Amino acid sequence: MSTRSEALLARPAAQLEVRQRITVLLTPPGLWLLLFFVIPLGVMALFSFRAASFGAQRQVFTLEHYQRFLADTSAQRLLWRSLLIALETSLICVVLAFPLAYFLSFRAGPSRLMLLTILVIPSWTSFLLRILAWKVLLGSSGIFNSLLLSLGWIEEAAPILLFSRGAVIITLVYIWVPFVALPIFAGLERINRHLLEAAEDLGSRPWQIFLEVILPLSLPGVLAGFLSVFIPTVGEYVTPLLVGGVDGIMYGNLVQDQFARALNWPLGSVMSLVMMLVVLVLTFGLGRGVKVTDLAGV
Amino acid sequence: MSQFSVELRGVCKTFPERGERQELAAVQDLNLQIRAGEFFTLLGPSGCGKSTTLRMIAGFETPTAGQIRIQDQAMNAVPAYRRPVNMVFQDYALFPHLTVAQNVEFGLKVKGVPKEQRDPAVKEALELVQLPGHGDRKPEELSGGQQQRVALARALINRPAVLLLDEPLGALDLKLRKAMQFELKQIQSQVGCTFVYVTHDQEEALKMSDRVAVMSQGWLLQVGNPSSIYEKPATRFVADFIGETNFLSARVLKASNGSVLVEAAGREMLAQWLNGHAKVGEDVTLTVRPERISLFTANGGHRKGRLHGVAQDVTYLGTDTLYRVGLESGEGLLVRVQNSSGVPRFSSGDQVELSWDPADAQALVE
Ligand SMILES: Nc1ncnc2c1ncn2[C@@H]1O[C@H](COP(=O)(O)OP(=O)(O)OP(=O)(O)O)[C@@H](O)[C@H]1O
Ligand SMILES: [Mg+2]
């Protein structure tokens, strides 16, 4: 802090003024978080202890639904599966997005911003439309099946393409790659180019510059990209609904079922809370040693 | 083998046009011979091509024409990572994800030197730059001056034939800067390698260098040791850029090989030829350094050889006082007088007389 602002802060009146300004600045996001995050979360936590969604049983508080979840191995297996799908999706996204971001940042030169825009443009169309597009592509008369058929590689349209775990992952990867490329790109852009010259000057060959300097310095961006896919994908339910079939069902579908079909809100709440807890623990485990400010640099 | 550590033969660098920017000749037909073990400085105003020259020696830029030789080897086709030179960057370019020790050993590590040999070398290098025991810190925990030292250690550990320094002290405050100038010289005498130093600070260049190359707009104007650059500037630009100086327009009255009689400021006076000769009747520029001019109290009578003027601006500089004196001819002269008890002080508006030794007045042909 400059001495001038320190001197300013030393005056009680100015201190008050600064505090007031911070309050004013933080009020809208604070309210937003309170209204749409903290309160709903509280309501959900409350519901997880209710005996039933409606009626008199609603006023009875119990741990029954937690016990039910702990006993329900199929729900736990589905959660595990969803974590794996999310993990695979985010890893594939990172593997695909890294070279993309690397090219944009180090090789694309002045046209990088235009290329970046082109990369993001597809995300302007509706999320549902993009999933449905994959339904067409992967369907039994879709382009992949027709191609394989006409090449004579397969005898009949392979149903495996659509309504499978693979279809869910392909679709999710397609949707998320640009959003992983962005934080990685931002991370690579922040690398001081003099560092690369310094490394070369000290005798590093190009691959050594990559391994010793670029890769370690890009990790915060990679982690940010990874988490920005992993976190929302664990709870994903639209994509599996549309392209997943029986095989590609995810934990999110189970949760949705409890709320929308079984109308068992307490159990749905328990499931949601458990998933949040698991994701939270995993995220903090991964994020240890990486500063929040690095992630915020996205 | 020749005695030259670095040799530039007709080196040019032109940056291609891009977008709105026109093609730009950053370095033009540069010929330089830098001797082994020398402290050689590239000096010039911002944008004159100093960094570009240094970066071509390091291998980060490819010359558009000409040849760069290091230790008698042509370097044009040698990539930066195989050149026997190391660079200290103005922003230090320390690796933020590595500790000080890991930064320093970087060059040895990528060359595959085993750890048992790296560790003592790191210790020695950190001692050389007076940072023993700082190996486990992260660069961000160090002050600017300390980071500078780490950058130096990281370069010197590779025992380069030539150390390239691009305004290494630019980010330091004045006091630290002066201390580091002294220390850099000491380190150089310890390691004995050639230093090629870039700065736009003429005082720093004169103080530290064995030889100085003055550049302007991509051209090399003059190469020489500090005193010859200061006392025998080859062009008006050099005279103006290196320290303060006065210029008076003059006309040649009588010329000989060594000295010249000119008419300047409405009087006849003697001067030395600086960078060539001119014929009788031709115009030249007379230059006199402010500190070579003496000031006297005006006492009515016209004493021979003295000019008359009025003190206009008086600036007290601690050890010296700087006067701007308006001459009868309408021209102005800067005069720098050392403050000591016997010397009269003048204030703005005082009548003064000025004189200088004819040996200190130089005639520049343009
Ligand atoms: N990569 C580049 N592309 C285009 N033009 C460049 C490039 N690098 C330098 N230049 C131009 O070349 C000229 C010389 O630049 P250079 O960096 O060598 O100057 P300098 O003497 O080091 O100046 P300074 O004291 O400001 O660092 C400048 O006009 C600069 O704009
Ligand atoms: Mg420069």
Side-chain angles (χ1 to χ4, degrees):
Chain A
M1 202 186 297
S2 78
T3 45
R4 190 166 157 267
S5 50
E6 263 167 25
L8 266 178
L9 279 181
R11 286 197 348 248
Q15 241 168 9
L16 198 70
E17 195 184 301
V18 168
R19 237 177 256 155
Q20 275 170 350
R21 215 180 301 159
I22 291 175
T23 316
V24 169
L25 279 175
L26 286 184
T27 302
L31 273 179
W32 192 87
L33 270 179
L34 189 73
L35 260 177
F36 298 108
F37 188 72
V38 178
I39 292 179
L41 206 64
V43 169
M44 204 165 72
L46 195 68
F47 255 99
S48 72
F49 295 107
R50 292 191 196 279
S53 313
F54 317 101
Q57 283 292 315
R58 192 169 179 253
Q59 297 310 330
V60 179
F61 290 90
T62 163
L63 287 176
E64 179 198 335
H65 296 289
Y66 282 91
Q67 287 158 350
R68 251 182 81 182
F69 179 82
L70 288 177
D72 183 355
T73 50
S74 69
Q76 290 164 21
R77 235 180 301 126
L78 209 54
L79 176 57
W80 177 242
R81 247 177 70 129
S82 296
L83 287 171
L84 280 185
I85 290 181
L87 184 72
E88 281 169 54
T89 305
S90 357
L91 283 181
I92 296 173
C93 279
V94 166
V95 167
L96 291 179
F98 194 98
L100 200 67
Y102 182 90
F103 171 82
L104 283 178
S105 182
F106 287 96
R107 300 270 177 265
S111 54
R112 72 214 309 151
L113 282 183
M114 199 190 67
L115 292 173
L116 199 68
T117 315
I118 291 176
L119 178 72
V120 183
I121 278 179
S123 341
W124 293 352
T125 52
S126 134
F127 179 73
L128 277 178
L129 265 181
R130 276 174 293 145
I131 300 178
L132 289 171
W134 275 99
K135 206 166 165 171
V136 174
L137 290 176
L138 295 171
S140 49
S141 54
I143 183 163
F144 291 104
N145 266 321
S146 324
L147 190 71
L148 293 176
L149 274 173
S150 64
L151 285 173
W153 288 11
I154 51 175
E155 300 290 302
E156 53 184 295
I160 185 99
L161 288 183
L162 193 56
F163 301 127
S164 68
R165 190 172 183 275
V168 172
I169 292 181
I170 290 177
T171 309
L172 285 174
V173 164
Y174 165 74
I175 287 167
W176 284 113
V177 159
F179 298 97
V180 183
L182 280 178
I184 299 180
F185 173 77
L188 292 175
E189 284 290 284
R190 279 203 304 272
I191 297 179
N192 176 356
R193 296 309 193 252
H194 279 166
L195 295 179
L196 313 185
E197 287 183 350
E200 183 176 8
D201 183 65
L202 293 165
S204 313
R205 279 138 209 275
W207 61 269
Q208 286 173 313
I209 300 178
F210 180 79
L211 284 185
E212 301 280 344
V213 182
I214 297 177
L215 198 58
L217 287 176
S218 71
L219 284 185
V222 168
L223 190 69
F226 176 87
L227 288 177
S228 68
V229 181
F230 183 78
I231 295 174
T233 302
V234 176
E236 176 67 60
Y237 69 93
V238 178
T239 313
L241 206 64
L242 291 175
V243 301
V246 188
D247 200 26
I249 199 167
M250 288 175 72
Y251 187 75
N253 302 106
L254 201 64
V255 176
Q256 195 216 3
D257 266 2
Q258 297 307 324
F259 280 103
R261 259 192 265 169
L263 294 183
N264 191 345
W265 295 1
L267 187 58
S269 301
V270 170
M271 289 176 160
S272 305
L273 287 172
V274 168
M275 185 186 78
M276 270 187 56
L277 195 73
V278 170
V279 170
L280 213 64
V281 168
L282 285 176
T283 306
F284 273 100
L286 268 176
R288 243 186 18 190
V290 175
K291 279 178 290 176
V292 183
T293 45
D294 287 338
L295 299 182
V298 175
Chain B
M1 205 172 123
S2 82
Q3 54 174 330
F4 301 126
S5 192
V6 181
E7 211 183 336
L8 274 63
R9 295 185 185 162
V11 169
C12 301
K13 177 70 190 180
T14 307
F15 289 108
E17 59 187 306
R18 183 191 280 173
E20 309 235 313
R21 215 180 49 211
Q22 301 201 332
E23 187 180 87
L24 185 116
V27 174
Q28 320 207 40
D29 191 28
L30 183 57
N31 290 288
L32 274 183
Q33 286 150 350
I34 301 172
R35 299 179 195 126
E38 191 169 36
F39 197 116
F40 191 91
T41 298
L42 295 170
L43 173 67
S46 184
C48 72
K50 310 178 293 283
S51 296
T52 305
T53 306
L54 207 66
R55 291 169 55 78
M56 285 192 287
I57 300 174
F60 300 137
E61 305 280 2
T62 322
T64 329
Q67 196 183 49
I68 290 175
R69 301 177 73 82
I70 297 173
Q71 293 187 311
D72 233 15
Q73 305 272 324
M75 283 290 141
N76 291 43
V78 179
Y81 66 83
R82 283 209 283 117
R83 297 196 184 190
V85 302
N86 282 112
M87 180 132 160
V88 175
F89 293 81
Q90 180 171 5
D91 61 359
Y92 316 137
L94 297 177
F95 303 119
H97 58 299
L98 302 179
T99 64
V100 166
Q102 288 168 334
N103 263 283
V104 174
E105 70 173 359
F106 192 92
L108 300 182
K109 197 173 161 208
V110 292
K111 279 174 221 122
V113 176
K115 186 154 173 55
E116 313 85 73
Q117 289 171 37
R118 295 202 307 259
D119 287 347
V122 168
K123 192 157 172 282
E124 191 191 339
L126 284 177
E127 272 162 14
L128 178 70
V129 298
Q130 302 185 14
L131 279 181
H134 285 64
D136 293 331
R137 305 251 196 113
K138 277 288 180 76
E140 63 191 16
E141 298 164 26
L142 302 182
S143 71
Q146 290 172 321
Q147 293 185 16
Q148 167 71 70
R149 288 157 196 267
V150 176
L152 209 55
R154 182 179 69 174
L156 287 171
I157 200 171
N158 305 291
R159 308 204 167 277
V162 183
L163 186 70
L164 308 170
L165 304 103
D166 193 353
E167 309 212 18
L169 308 183
L172 304 181
D173 66 61
L174 189 66
K175 203 160 176 195
L176 196 54
R177 212 181 153 111
K178 297 222 153 132
M180 279 305 290
Q181 288 172 353
F182 178 71
E183 208 174 306
L184 272 177
K185 286 291 281 181
Q186 279 204 319
I187 288 175
Q188 195 214 6
S189 66
Q190 276 179 61
V191 296
C193 80
T194 311
F195 275 38
V196 181
Y197 192 91
V198 161
T199 182
H200 61 253
D201 180 344
Q202 43 96 13
E203 205 180 308
E204 188 169 286
L206 295 181
K207 193 152 118 193
M208 301 178 73
S209 322
D210 295 322
R211 284 196 305 151
V212 179
V214 185
M215 294 178 71
S216 168
Q217 297 182 346
W219 294 99
L220 177 65
L221 299 181
Q222 188 173 4
V223 186
N225 59 28
S227 68
S228 75
I229 295 274
Y230 187 76
E231 279 160 30
K232 300 249 172 304
T235 68
R236 181 177 179 140
F237 178 88
V238 177
D240 201 19
F241 187 70
I242 310 290
E244 294 159 323
T245 196
N246 293 298
F247 295 110
L248 290 173
S249 46
R251 202 161 46 81
V252 179
L253 297 176
K254 219 186 266 177
S256 76
N257 252 349
S259 56
V260 54
L261 186 72
V262 296
E263 189 200 316
R267 324 190 43 139
E268 290 181 10
M269 52 184 84
L270 272 175
Q272 316 301 313
W273 287 121
L274 190 57
N275 60 343
H277 298 265
K279 293 202 194 75
V280 173
E282 287 182 332
D283 287 334
V284 293
T285 302
L286 196 74
T287 114
V288 196
R289 295 280 182 194
E291 71 275 13
R292 301 293 166 90
I293 303 178
S294 312
L295 277 191
F296 303 95
T297 318
N299 50 7
H302 269 210
R303 206 172 294 179
K304 190 174 178 301
R306 288 193 184 172
L307 289 172
H308 291 258
V310 182
Q312 286 169 341
D313 291 322
V314 184
T315 314
Y316 178 74
L317 299 172
T319 54
D320 300 336
T321 303
L322 192 67
Y323 297 94
R324 167 164 287 284
V325 179
L327 299 179
E328 288 167 336
S329 65
E331 289 168 296
L333 283 182
L334 281 177
V335 182
R336 189 187 264 268
V337 182
Q338 211 170 48
N339 293 325
S340 66
S341 46
V343 173
R345 299 275 183 84
F346 302 97
S347 34
S348 186
D350 285 357
Q351 294 283 333
V352 293
E353 293 181 1
L354 313 85
S355 79
W356 56 78
D357 187 332
D360 291 330
Q362 296 166 322
L364 265 169
V365 184
E366 299 192 43

